[in-house]
Amino acid sequence: MDSKIQDHKASQIHQRMDSYGPSYFPPTTNRKCKPPSAYLRTGHRRMIRHLFAFVGSLWSGWTTLSVICLVFAFWQIGFETFGPLVLPEPLETIKTVGTLISESHGLNYILITSERALLGFLTASCVGIILGLMAGWSNTLSVLSRPLVTMMQGMPPIAWIVIALLWFGGEGTPIFTVFVTTLPLIFAGTMQGVRMRDGNLDEMADSFRISRAEKFIHVQAPQIVSYLFPAWATSFAMSWKVVMTAELLASGDGVGAGLAEARVNIDTVATMAWIVAVVGLLLLFEGFVLNPVKSHVEGWKNDV
């Protein structure tokens, strides 16, 4: 049984090494040349996999659309049951979203919030990935970082907002709060990916005498990203919630400030319109950015 598993892993490495070119193989390697028909069959299999992946993405989009329709159906039931003060009419809310986007004031608020959320998230990603790689390859750093990660994850965002208000004032508070709340998740996902990678694949790659950079890019990084991507998705969604909370309490612009204005005016329609706008933006970003990136970086799983 073990020999079969090793043969299977060896065949996987051979398939990956085919894309490197002959210069990566040692001169003493005695590999049999494949007939042209074998490469043709491989191309057909890849084309079929890409076709099924495209159909799967379309099916996922229809599933998301059906869930949205179901949410709006329950929303309509809630509106008819509890009245407009609790839940406004969905159609009226959609019209208000269109009004907010068409106005420069509302569109500017959405762009400001998007910029703050993305800046905090990308900064946390860069720092978290670098530190996570270092801790993953060092047992000492891994042990030392665990209490720090637990402490940072245990701190509620509202506490970080108060600290950021004292340190930076109102302008830097949303970005700092997003950074400090998403950093532990990205760090933990990266460190877990490094420590849980398959050591047998590293040994296989070393047998081909490829450089460390090539081994990291083609063998280790895909395995690390499998653990990192769920942390990325969770952190990205969390960054929007945190930045809106920070804006609500510490900023005079952005979607959070728009929610604060709607609360003062007791405007339920405007409140739900801001929420729908942000949720719609998140769904679009997930469907057109996160999911394609995930399919690309995890494409190696289809070859297993």
Side-chain angles (χ1 to χ4, degrees), residues 101-165:
I101 296 176
S102 61
E103 295 177 352
S104 59
H105 175 75
L107 183 60
N108 188 42
Y109 273 12
I110 294 175
L111 292 177
I112 289 174
T113 299
S114 302
E115 180 182 0
R116 289 169 174 167
L118 289 175
L119 183 58
F121 171 74
L122 292 176
T123 306
S125 296
C126 294
V127 176
I129 290 173
I130 294 174
L131 296 179
L133 291 174
M134 295 171 59
W137 269 296
S138 173
N139 292 328
T140 303
L141 292 178
S142 176
V143 173
L144 292 176
S145 63
R146 288 175 184 173
L148 295 176
V149 172
T150 303
M151 180 188 68
M152 294 181 68
Q153 287 181 333
M155 285 279 287
I158 188 65
W160 289 116
I161 292 174
V162 174
I163 294 175
L165 277 173

Side-chain angles (χ1 to χ4, degrees), residues 29-246:
T29 303
N30 185 16
R31 303 179 70 237
K32 296 181 180 180
C33 296
K34 296 181 180 180
S37 59
Y39 290 100
L40 186 61
R41 289 194 297 269
T42 302
H44 287 168
R45 287 196 295 269
R46 291 179 180 175
M47 185 181 301
I48 292 173
R49 284 200 301 267
H50 288 308
L51 179 61
F52 276 104
F54 177 73
V55 174
S57 63
L58 291 180
W59 178 253
S60 177
W62 283 111
T63 303
T64 303
L65 184 60
S66 63
V67 172
I68 293 174
C69 293
L70 184 63
V71 170
F72 273 95
F74 281 109
W75 184 355
Q76 181 67 29
I77 295 174
F79 162 71
E80 296 176 357
T81 303
F82 301 104
L85 185 61
V86 177
L87 280 176
E89 185 181 4
L91 183 59
E92 184 180 0
T93 304
I94 297 298
K95 292 179 180 179
T96 306
V97 172
T99 303
L100 291 175
I101 296 176
S102 61
E103 295 177 352
S104 59
H105 175 75
L107 183 60
N108 188 42
Y109 273 12
I110 294 175
L111 292 177
I112 289 174
T113 299
S114 302
E115 180 182 0
R116 289 169 174 167
L118 289 175
L119 183 58
F121 171 74
L122 292 176
T123 306
S125 296
C126 294
V127 176
I129 290 173
I130 294 174
L131 296 179
L133 291 174
M134 295 171 59
W137 269 296
S138 173
N139 292 328
T140 303
L141 292 178
S142 176
V143 173
L144 292 176
S145 63
R146 288 175 184 173
L148 295 176
V149 172
T150 303
M151 180 188 68
M152 294 181 68
Q153 287 181 333
M155 285 279 287
I158 188 65
W160 289 116
I161 292 174
V162 174
I163 294 175
L165 277 173
L166 297 175
W167 288 353
F168 308 106
E171 291 299 325
T173 296
I175 299 175
F176 172 79
T177 310
V178 171
F179 169 79
V180 78
T181 53
T182 57
L183 177 63
L185 292 175
I186 298 173
F187 170 83
T190 305
M191 183 179 67
Q192 186 73 5
V194 173
R195 300 192 66 83
M196 295 300 294
R197 73 187 191 280
D198 191 350
N200 293 328
L201 293 180
D202 291 345
E203 295 178 1
M204 284 284 193
D206 291 335
S207 66
F208 287 99
R209 303 178 188 175
I210 63 176
S211 64
R212 291 185 178 181
E214 291 290 337
K215 182 174 73 170
F216 176 78
I217 293 173
H218 296 284
V219 179
Q220 296 174 342
Q223 301 177 71
I224 296 172
V225 171
S226 298
Y227 290 88
L228 176 60
F229 198 88
W232 253 341
T234 304
S235 300
F236 182 76
M238 182 184 294
S239 65
W240 288 85
K241 296 188 293 184
V242 171
V243 76
M244 290 173 61
T245 305

